[in-house]
């Protein structure tokens, strides 16, 4: 099993910044990549950003490009999402995930979610 614990959400004004953290523990050697999804009220969950555990490859949703930066600290088994120039439309619950290598019993683990609210 893999456990994911998130932190760093909160309330920020339009144009502000937040940094989300997600610490992984347990069978971390099965993790291939990690990242963040978000879900706003009444909307589907969408991928925000992802990064391989090697740190060599990352991907961003169009809405996050140029404003958000994902990074990983393997020494701390932690992935970060630095969010700058936040907008009210970024308001959502942000979920950390860890995706395992192929053929593992469980393909994806989830954190509990952290609320990000951007006020206008």
């Amino acid at each position: 099993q893999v456990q994911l614990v998130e932190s760093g959400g909160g309330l920020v004004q339009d144009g502000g910044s937040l940094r989300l953290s997600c610490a992984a523990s347990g069978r971390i050697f099965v993790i291939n990549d990690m990242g963040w999804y978000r879900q706003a009220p009444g909307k589907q969950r969408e991928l925000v950003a992802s990064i391989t555990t090697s740190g060599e490859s990352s991907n961003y949703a169009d809405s996050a490009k140029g404003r958000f930066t994902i990074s990983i600290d393997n020494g701390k088994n932690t992935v970060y999402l630095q969010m700058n120039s936040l907008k009210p439309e970024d308001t959502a619950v942000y979920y950390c995930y860890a995706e395992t290598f192929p053929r593992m019993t469980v393909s994806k683990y989830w954190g509990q979610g952290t609320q990000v609210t951007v006020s206008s």
Side-chain angles (χ1 to χ4, degrees):
Q1 295 294 324
V2 173
Q3 294 79 41
L4 302 173
V5 178
E6 302 154 350
S7 61
L11 174 65
V12 65
Q13 289 188 332
D14 191 355
S17 298
L18 283 174
R19 189 177 80 155
L20 305 182
S21 301
C22 175
S25 61
R27 302 179 71 227
I28 58 173
F29 55 87
V30 303
I31 300 173
N32 184 34
D33 67 273
M34 297 180 69
W36 298 87
Y37 278 75
R38 69 185 181 187
Q39 188 166 22
K43 295 188 177 181
Q44 288 188 328
R45 191 174 293 193
E46 62 172 351
L47 179 65
V48 177
S50 64
I51 188 168
T52 54
T53 50
S54 66
E56 293 178 352
S57 178
S58 60
N59 291 286
Y60 296 90
D62 287 344
S63 59
K65 289 178 182 176
R67 300 188 299 127
F68 296 1
T69 303
I70 191 168
S71 60
I72 191 165
D73 183 338
N74 284 313
K76 296 181 179 179
N77 302 321
T78 299
V79 64
Y80 302 96
L81 185 67
Q82 177 66 44
M83 303 186 294
N84 298 328
S85 302
L86 283 162
K87 307 173 183 179
E89 50 264 44
D90 294 316
T91 295
V93 177
Y94 284 69
Y95 295 92
C96 174
Y97 78 91
E99 189 159 333
T100 61
F101 289 100
R103 296 186 296 278
M104 294 294 165
T105 302
V106 178
S107 61
K108 189 171 281 183
Y109 293 90
W110 295 95
Q112 78 279 8
T114 186
Q115 177 70 46
V116 171
T117 302
V118 184
S119 62
S120 57

